[in-house]
Amino acid sequence: MARTATTDAQSLASAVTPAHFILTDITLEEGFVRDQGEIIGTRTGRYDLEIRDGRILSVSPTTAAGSALPRLSANGRLALPTFRDMHIHLDKTFYGGPWQAPRPRKGKTIMDMIALERTLLPELLPVSRERAEGMIDLLLEHGTTTARSHCNIDPVSGLRSLEHLNQALETYRGRFNCEIVAFPQHGLLLSEVAPLMRESMSMGVAFVGGLDPTNVDGRMEASLDAMFSIAVDHDKGVDIHLHESGPSGAAAIRYMLDTLERTPSLKGRLTLSHAFALANLTPADLDATAERMAASGVSVASTIPIGRSMMPLARLREKGVRLMSGTDSVIDMWSPFGSGDMLDKANLHAQLYSGSDEFGLSRALAIATGDVLPLNDAGERAWPKAGDAADLVLADASCSAEAVARKSKRTAVFHGGRLVFGDLA
């Protein structure tokens, strides 16, 4: 009931947002404050945004009402770019149901977990659409309006998980964007789902998924070839779960890079999710691999893990590799610790990589926004500008550094110029 009430309220808010209006009294970042050359703060000002048909027409200092256009006041709240959760599983969550902790993992392999999931999926399928919608509400509440969701394609659920996810996304059309990855969670070869994967390509799927080609499928080259074959035949991108952290993971990355370098249609269309093997390469091997990845447009989607070898995200970025992040499992059989909040990921990135000073905190926001930042490294305003999509989050914060450090409350979210969460009271 709570989810339905929330959804109805947001539907009403979206319906009454004017197509052409001024969002007034909004706080925007103007530049960095320096002391003896060091960045010690962020300068801000109050602005008005003229918005029409989902785009920003103009950005100007806040003035007294002088236009006949409807005016919605942000009441001085800080504007941030909307967030992008680029690795999440919306289709098989415990979220919205009774409390259920994951089963003990100690001593269990991924094959044990796959066997367990086969027994759980029949219980999750009847409620998967409802729970996916609840997850989308959670993401919107935290300021995320774009996601990439992996969706099981397996012998137990067949295409039903995908059908239910598409139904949920249809409910949020115009308020929430989602790229779908067809994910062979039980092994592309092991579970013999290549025909189902191919069938799913006509059902709103943007990416072909894969999973640990050695540890799960047992035949690295055959597994990766089958994954890429589906992608090439159906003109899709690829996003593979690669948990293998040792030599087999490194070998898989090299094989995938070899494949991209001889297949131009795949360049710029491969994401390595997790890619833990990168954390265990020598510095020289890491640099060489990262350079190949950047040249072929390979991106990395990291949940910014703790408790294992530290992912070399800073070095990957230095080498030109595009980085993304996501909240992965909010609560399911794999983990109970997710929040659905990309500011959590920006905060963690700051703690592990970019630092606790004003500049470092402000740069950490990029992992949550798809590299859209209010100020560039020189302290010049980069967002928002006339012509940008009217996608923004209003937060109770003085600047993006504070929002990252304190994970400030979000009070309203606009997507395509429509209020999709919160209010302006």
Side-chain angles (χ1 to χ4, degrees):
M1 291 296 293
R3 192 213 66 78
T4 302
T6 301
T7 302
D8 289 347
Q10 303 319 319
S11 298
L12 179 61
S14 299
V16 300
T17 307
H20 191 188
F21 67 99
I22 293 176
L23 183 60
T24 186
D25 197 25
I26 192 168
T27 295
L28 297 179
E29 297 185 5
E30 297 178 329
F32 292 126
V33 178
R34 291 177 167 84
D35 180 24
Q36 298 183 0
E38 292 184 332
I39 294 172
I40 62 167
T42 301
R43 186 177 69 256
T44 62
R46 299 290 180 88
Y47 287 82
D48 292 348
L49 305 182
E50 183 180 351
I51 296 171
R52 184 176 69 191
D53 297 331
R55 306 203 78 83
I56 297 171
L57 293 186
S58 66
V59 182
S60 58
T62 292
T63 59
S67 168
L69 290 173
R71 297 172 72 87
L72 304 179
S73 178
N75 298 305
R77 292 188 174 92
L78 176 73
L80 296 172
T82 52
F83 305 144
R84 300 171 62 86
D85 191 324
M86 302 307 286
H87 188 101
I88 194 168
H89 296 261
L90 295 174
D91 64 311
K92 53 180 183 180
T93 180
F94 294 167
Y95 183 77
W99 164 250
Q100 185 176 353
R103 304 283 180 89
R105 292 281 297 273
K106 187 175 181 180
K108 293 181 180 176
T109 67
I110 191 169
M111 303 302 285
D112 295 325
M113 296 299 291
I114 288 172
L116 173 61
E117 187 177 89
R118 291 193 190 105
T119 69
L120 293 178
L121 283 173
E123 301 173 15
L124 295 174
L125 275 170
V127 294
S128 64
R129 173 181 175 174
E130 175 186 352
R131 291 188 179 178
E133 291 176 353
M135 287 268 280
I136 295 170
D137 279 338
L138 179 69
L139 297 181
L140 288 173
E141 178 182 343
H142 290 311
T144 292
T145 59
T146 297
R148 182 182 294 179
S149 178
H150 296 254
C151 182
N152 265 41
I153 306 295
D154 62 74
V156 178
S157 55
L159 297 175
R160 285 175 293 170
S161 287
L162 178 57
E163 292 167 354
H164 295 173
L165 178 57
N166 274 322
Q167 291 165 4
L169 293 174
E170 182 62 29
T171 302
Y172 288 81
R173 180 182 295 274
R175 291 180 284 153
F176 181 81
N177 294 337
C178 185
E179 302 170 344
I180 300 176
V181 184
F183 178 39
Q185 172 71 84
H186 302 171
L188 180 57
L189 302 183
L190 181 68
S191 62
E192 301 179 339
V193 291
L196 276 176
M197 291 281 288
R198 288 183 177 276
E199 188 176 349
S200 75
M201 295 297 108
S202 63
M203 299 174 62
V205 166
F207 293 85
V208 178
L211 173 68
D212 297 342
T214 299
N215 289 353
V216 174
D217 276 340
R219 292 182 289 158
M220 184 264 283
E221 294 185 4
S223 178
L224 296 177
D225 286 346
M227 176 185 72
F228 283 128
S229 175
I230 297 169
V232 170
D233 289 349
H234 295 272
D235 193 24
K236 304 293 183 181
V238 173
D239 189 331
I240 179 173
H241 280 65
L242 190 61
H243 306 101
E244 299 172 16
S245 58
S248 67
I253 292 172
R254 289 193 297 271
Y255 188 84
M256 286 188 278
L257 290 173
D258 290 343
T259 302
L260 262 64
E261 288 166 357
R262 64 174 181 265
T263 314
S265 65
L266 289 171
K267 288 188 176 181
R269 305 179 77 180
L270 171 63
T271 298
L272 304 180
S273 283
H274 307 303
F276 296 140
L278 294 172
N280 296 311
L281 298 179
T282 66
D285 284 346
L286 174 63
D287 283 356
T289 301
E291 288 167 4
R292 292 182 69 191
M293 291 170 64
S296 289
V298 178
S299 58
V300 171
S302 175
T303 59
I304 314 181
I306 56 176
R308 63 170 69 239
S309 298
M310 188 170 175
M311 286 294 294
L313 300 186
R315 189 60 174 165
L316 291 172
R317 187 180 287 279
E318 288 173 4
K319 288 293 184 178
V321 176
R322 183 189 174 205
L323 302 179
M324 303 181 288
S325 188
T327 59
D328 201 356
S329 303
V330 171
I331 176 170
D332 59 17
M333 64 166 280
W334 301 90
S335 171
F337 298 119
S339 66
D341 189 351
M342 287 304 297
L343 271 188
D344 280 348
K345 296 302 177 181
N347 178 282
L348 184 56
H349 188 279
Q351 293 186 59
L352 295 178
Y353 302 101
S354 59
S356 60
D357 59 278
E358 187 84 1
F359 183 76
L361 288 166
S362 72
R363 301 305 87 182
L365 184 67
I367 201 73
T369 63
D371 292 329
V372 179
L373 291 173
L375 300 178
N376 63 22
D377 288 353
E380 302 161 333
R381 183 186 298 146
W383 176 94
K385 292 181 177 178
D388 288 346
D391 300 337
L392 55 103
V393 182
L394 299 184
D396 282 334
S398 63
C399 61
S400 56
E402 181 185 4
V404 169
R406 306 309 306 162
K407 295 181 281 190
S408 304
K409 178 182 178 182
R410 277 123 284 175
T411 60
V413 180
F414 286 84
H415 180 59
R418 300 171 67 189
L419 183 65
V420 296
F421 169 79
D423 57 53
L424 301 176

